[in-house]
Amino acid sequence: MTAESPPPVSVALVHYPVRNKRGETIGSAVTNLDVHDIARAARTYGVYRYYITTPYVDQQGFVGEIIGHWREGYGATYNPARKEALEIVRVVDGLQQAIAELTAAYGERPFVVGTSAQAQDRTMTFADLGRMMTAGRPVLLIFGTAHGLAPEIMATTDAVLPPLQGRTTYNHLPVRSAVAIILDRLLGR
């Protein structure tokens, strides 16, 4: 990595393949709140890119309309801070496209780290990942929508972060909350 290299952390929000509550592989819909809120959290913590991954053309168009409104439309002048946050958003067909774009930007493949509300194999601590990021290793954090990333996506990760745990047995955070908590643990002061 050189002095001109982008910051070493990016985020991907995967909409396919993910799991539904019955454990079946599905594609989920993009939500307006996830586009805005994750972009704002990512920008706050210095994330290089926020990828929204969906193979569905109608969903890609939906995201394009949201981004267009806030980057070029009335929203750009009404709320310049929102425009700035949405500048880092990219819509891609799938995770491999995001990895390819980051590999080109960094000159090396990013270390791909999955997240899950359930314990997984290949768990890496937040501290170990933080040290890797501090050393300049590019990292792509991937988050799932619906009921989490499908096994075929988890199998492609280099490591998985431990689940976030509160004080109760209830464990179903909104993905935008999980992203914010994880970014704060890894990049917060």
Side-chain angles (χ1 to χ4, degrees):
M1 219 161 109
T2 67
E4 297 82 33
S5 294
V9 182
S10 292
V11 170
L13 183 62
V14 176
H15 292 83
Y16 176 84
V18 293
R19 294 296 190 157
N20 67 15
K21 63 183 172 183
R22 292 182 298 279
E24 301 162 331
T25 298
I26 62 160
S28 64
V30 175
T31 69
N32 186 15
L33 289 174
D34 288 345
V35 174
H36 290 271
D37 290 353
I38 293 173
R40 291 163 59 195
R43 180 68 183 95
T44 297
Y45 286 97
V47 166
Y48 172 59
R49 287 282 180 260
Y50 164 32
Y51 291 97
I52 298 172
T53 72
T54 179
Y56 306 115
V57 175
D58 63 331
Q59 295 293 293
Q60 292 173 2
F62 172 66
V63 176
E65 287 179 29
I66 293 168
I67 292 171
H69 172 76
W70 292 103
R71 290 200 315 209
E72 292 102 31
Y74 171 73
T77 54
Y78 177 75
N79 191 339
R82 180 86 38 106
K83 175 185 178 180
E84 181 180 348
L86 290 170
E87 292 290 341
I88 67 170
V89 177
R90 301 292 182 271
V91 181
V92 293
D93 290 335
L95 191 58
Q96 292 309 314
Q97 186 179 351
I99 292 169
E101 287 183 13
L102 292 173
T103 300
Y106 294 127
E108 67 178 306
R109 184 182 181 278
F111 189 75
V112 179
V113 181
T115 59
S116 177
Q118 284 79 44
Q120 302 286 323
D121 294 332
R122 296 175 291 109
T123 299
M124 175 181 226
T125 67
F126 285 94
D128 286 344
L129 182 59
R131 281 188 286 279
M132 180 184 289
M133 291 165 33
T134 299
R137 175 75 194 265
V139 171
L140 175 61
L141 298 169
I142 59 172
F143 296 86
T145 54
H147 284 261
L149 297 165
E152 55 266 38
I153 293 291
M154 293 303 278
T156 68
T157 64
D158 298 307
V160 180
L161 287 172
L164 299 175
Q165 295 180 324
R167 295 181 176 266
T168 70
T169 58
Y170 185 83
N171 188 13
H172 195 68
L173 283 172
V175 70
R176 59 192 167 275
S177 296
V179 171
I181 291 167
I182 288 172
L183 289 177
D184 189 67
R185 285 190 183 175
L186 293 170
L187 301 168
R189 292 184 187 173

